[in-house]
Amino acid sequence: MANQKQAVGSGGKSQLREAEANRFLAARGVNMVACQAAPSPEEAAKMAASIGFPVVLKLDSPEILHKTEAGGVVVGLATTAAVRAAGHEILKRAREYRPNAEIIGLLVQPLIKGGREVIIGGVHDPQFGPVVMFGLGGIHTEVLRDLSFRMAPLTFEHATDMIQEIRGFPILCGTRGQGARDITSLAELLVRIGQVMVDHPEIGELDLNPVAVLGEGSGCVVLDALIRLR
Amino acid sequence: MKERPGKPDNTASLDRFFQANSCAIIGASANPTKAGHQILNNMLSAGFPGSIYPVNPRATRIANLPCYPSLTAIPGQVDLVIITTASATIDRVAADIEQRCREKADLRAVIITGAGFAETGTDEGCERQKLLINCCRRNDLRAMGPNCIGIIDNHHHIDTTFLLGTSREPGGIGFVSQSGAMGAWLGMIWSSQPRPIGFGKFVSLGNIADVDLVEMVHYLGTDPLTSVIGLYLEGDRQARRLMETLREIVPKKPIVVLKVGRTDQGRAAAHSHTGSMAGADRIYDGVFRQYGVLRANSVEELSDTLQAFDHLPLPRGNHAFLITQAGGPGVYCADALAQAGGIQFAAVAQATKEALRLASPPFASVCQPEGHLDISPGATARQHAEVVEIALRDEAVDALLLIALPVMFMSGEALADELIQAITRVRASGINKPFLPVIMAGEWVRESRRRLGEAGILTFETPDRAARALANMVAYQKFCSSSVSGG
């Protein structure tokens, strides 16, 4: 248990930034989007060239966790010049958003196309202990509250039923020219997140938002992750 | 979960309440305005088979029983003590319990119905509760309450409540309630049926100073006389332990929960997306579904579903057939079945359709759509019974709903008599499927429903209530036969 604790909460922090959460979850078998840390826009441009375009560029700061609000995410950059320019812009906006925030640099990730985005959450509830949440994200989550909850650990059947419970489930089965999504892989991911929540009671809340669910047989990729410690 | 010290952690110790051989009622009274009077009355009317010892220093005889000045003055064996007096008397009562345990060592369990304890939130109330419970723990007594209405067990003829109108008919329903009044409400609903509905056990836990919800639910799970468990739940701080207990029981017997109260605990403290979305009620909802616990949305649905599980066989599948003699109510029921979810309409064999047509009046609408027979208001009682029998004998039918609204030329009583004969024939040929008749409505069909009830045929109040009870049975059957239950 002491080792696991150390694995999550290095140095008495209350939350892990994306790069840390990405490493932590990838080490536990969660299919995280490839994520490279670049100290500068120039380095980021070089990394993007080696990863292959288009890429996503994100701010890496332990003090700005809601990156989108700070203008810290730019999607679909197709050239080294574009990456460099976006990198400078992200850093500038971050300094404006919170002048004294510690900024580590930038994260470069490949752009994952063709996925239907969903949200997976974990919470250590005071009454229920580890709990897993699932929803379609966006307005489905925020406005319609179309979500399902299960107590962890989950079986594969529990996870499948949890996916089918939401009203928006038909969207994952294929609509409007989009094929069916990889629901098997999504259910496996829910099971795995449940296990992470059980194995790590020190995690208070965990957000995988968004998760890209690809076409049948192509799996799921977690595009962003945030972990808060209890 | 760590057990509190001094608390015997064995479910069997709860037998001490339900299977007591003798009982002392502290505060028994000849005054009908006192709880101690009504509790004594209920113990007597339940037909408690053991000795009952009223305790009251101001009386020598109550209800033709010798009355004792104190617990310690009772000469015979005492298993169970019911404390009906106010919390202000608790020093004296606890001292008497101590003395009796020293001298006779016969006491096993205590039910504290009196109020004025921890539920008041005052230091005094909490102190009194602690004093009493510590006294029980020291002497290895199990305690229920305080501030509860105690238990009813119609198999063991015990009723420690002051409730009105409780049915004494034994049955398979076991009901645990975080509110005594919810239990009272259900009990009144059941005893007001044209043919009163029986139940096995009722428990109100009050302040839960010793016997807790999880323990009691576990006890009902292992109780061979309990076939279905009902639960009125406002919330439990040990939700995880409760859910794990329910999960173990569900494959053995159905559990129906009426869960109220939406707590925001944890929400305010949560910062992330997930945390703010997870109200405890949403989690309850998901976990009930995860473990196959049925959630009722109303007292009516709770009552109907518990009755249905106790009286009807489980459907083998989810295909229902609907027979109606009344057009609108039939459509209303079809809507309710569709809305309840999980139920499909049965497509019966061609030969069955022919037989239904022959048995129905000329203007009947047969299986248009599938699974729906409208026999029209012209149908006689005999015709009702014939089509019921034909439909039940079809392999594709897992459950049958009948809606009838007796008219001037078909009496409800005649309908009941014909249905009883038809169902008897069907059962005699080895077919046992859920049959849910809805005979409408109110006082006009009381005798009809009473006759059916006497013959062991459960009836329902309205089409939608029958539909929801059936949908819950189908959901349970599906859960038990699916791999989800294995997880």
Side-chain angles (χ1 to χ4, degrees), chain A residues 204-219:
Chain A
E205 295 168 37
L206 174 159
D207 271 351
L208 308 185
N209 184 23
V211 177
V213 189
L214 305 176
E216 261 179 332
S218 302

Side-chain angles (χ1 to χ4, degrees), chain B residues 121-424:
Chain B
T122 62
D123 289 346
E124 188 179 49
C126 291
E127 278 307 311
R128 286 171 175 171
Q129 179 164 318
K130 210 159 108 191
L131 177 94
L132 187 55
I133 293 306
N134 284 342
C135 162
C136 290
R137 293 229 169 98
R138 271 196 303 279
N139 294 292
D140 186 30
L141 308 181
R142 295 309 312 264
M144 204 177 288
N147 188 34
C148 71
I149 59 170
I151 63 165
I152 303 173
D153 184 333
N154 281 338
H155 296 285
H156 296 103
H157 309 286
I158 180 162
D159 181 351
T160 75
T161 76
F162 47 78
L163 300 184
L164 169 76
T166 302
S167 162
R168 300 288 177 214
E169 177 100 11
I173 299 171
F175 186 69
V176 188
S177 186
Q178 284 185 324
S179 147
M182 288 302 290
W185 186 3
L186 268 186
M188 284 177 170
I189 290 174
W190 290 338
S191 61
S192 304
Q193 293 298 301
R195 167 70 164 74
I197 297 287
F199 64 92
K201 291 181 171 67
F202 162 70
V203 185
S204 120
L205 293 167
N207 293 1
I208 310 192
D210 176 31
V211 174
D212 70 22
L213 184 64
V214 173
E215 234 184 330
M216 189 49 75
V217 169
H218 180 71
Y219 179 79
L220 291 181
T222 59
D223 176 27
L225 296 170
T226 300
S227 65
V228 54
I229 298 172
L231 186 56
Y232 169 78
L233 186 64
E234 293 178 351
D236 193 46
R237 271 168 300 175
Q238 299 180 45
R240 190 175 185 88
R241 193 173 144 237
L242 174 65
M243 291 300 183
E244 282 166 351
T245 304
L246 299 183
R247 169 198 205 168
E248 280 171 35
I249 297 170
V250 165
K252 291 175 277 181
K253 52 186 89 169
I255 301 172
V256 192
V257 179
L258 182 67
K259 159 79 178 65
V260 300
R262 293 169 187 270
T263 157
D264 285 340
Q265 183 177 351
R267 188 178 281 196
H271 302 287
S272 80
H273 216 86
T274 304
S276 64
M277 290 291 159
D281 196 75
R282 295 294 306 267
I283 305 177
Y284 270 109
D285 210 63
V287 182
F288 286 150
R289 181 167 162 147
Q290 182 174 11
Y291 296 150
V293 175
L294 300 164
R295 184 172 189 174
N297 291 308
S298 65
V299 167
E300 289 80 11
E301 185 179 356
L302 174 68
S303 161
D304 294 336
T305 306
L306 290 173
Q307 290 177 42
F309 275 116
D310 193 30
H311 287 84
L312 303 178
L314 266 191
R316 284 170 316 174
N318 67 343
H319 289 90
F321 196 84
L322 170 62
I323 297 175
T324 182
Q325 158 257 24
V331 179
Y332 180 68
C333 186
D335 267 358
L337 282 170
Q339 273 166 7
I343 294 179
Q344 295 190 313
F345 285 94
V348 295
Q350 199 54 42
T352 303
K353 290 180 187 173
E354 287 306 319
L356 290 172
R357 205 181 316 275
L358 280 173
S360 306
F363 299 116
S365 162
V366 182
C367 299
Q368 286 172 321
E370 289 286 0
H372 191 122
L373 169 64
D374 185 336
I375 49 175
S376 81
T380 64
R382 172 72 48 88
Q383 284 170 323
H384 276 81
E386 282 176 5
V387 292
V388 160
E389 187 169 351
I390 293 164
L392 280 172
R393 289 184 187 280
D394 190 284
E395 281 285 315
V397 175
D398 295 318
L400 179 66
L401 290 111
L402 170 72
I403 295 160
L405 195 79
V407 287
M408 292 302 278
F409 41 86
M410 183 193 72
S411 83
E413 290 80 358
L415 176 64
D417 295 342
E418 290 283 356
L419 285 175
I420 289 163
Q421 288 179 38
I423 295 300
T424 307

Side-chain angles (χ1 to χ4, degrees), chain A residues 63-85:
Chain A
E63 292 174 47
I64 304 177
L65 294 169
H66 294 285
K67 298 179 286 285
T68 312
E69 288 169 23
V73 181
V74 182
V75 176
L77 299 166
T79 64
T80 44
V83 172
R84 219 171 8 244

Side-chain angles (χ1 to χ4, degrees), chain A residues 66 119-123 125-131 133 138 141-142 144-155 157-158 161-162 164-165 198 205-209 226 228, chain B residues 235-241 243-244 247 263 265-267 269-287 289-291 478-479 483-487:
Chain A
H66 294 285
I119 173 171
I120 294 175
V123 61
D125 183 87
Q127 299 171 25
F128 288 90
V131 166
M133 182 196 91
T141 303
E142 310 257 348
L144 302 175
R145 305 234 154 194
D146 188 12
L147 297 159
S148 56
F149 294 87
R150 296 292 183 272
M151 224 161 78
L154 296 85
T155 63
E157 289 73 19
H158 290 150
D161 186 51
M162 170 177 200
Q164 291 171 352
E165 181 185 327
V198 171
E205 295 168 37
L206 174 159
D207 271 351
L208 308 185
N209 184 23
L226 184 68
R228 277 176 195 276
Chain B
D236 193 46
R237 271 168 300 175
Q238 299 180 45
R240 190 175 185 88
R241 193 173 144 237
M243 291 300 183
E244 282 166 351
R247 169 198 205 168
T263 157
Q265 183 177 351
R267 188 178 281 196
H271 302 287
S272 80
H273 216 86
T274 304
S276 64
M277 290 291 159
D281 196 75
R282 295 294 306 267
I283 305 177
Y284 270 109
D285 210 63
V287 182
R289 181 167 162 147
Q290 182 174 11
Y291 296 150
K478 185 182 170 214
F479 183 86
S483 47
V484 181
S485 62

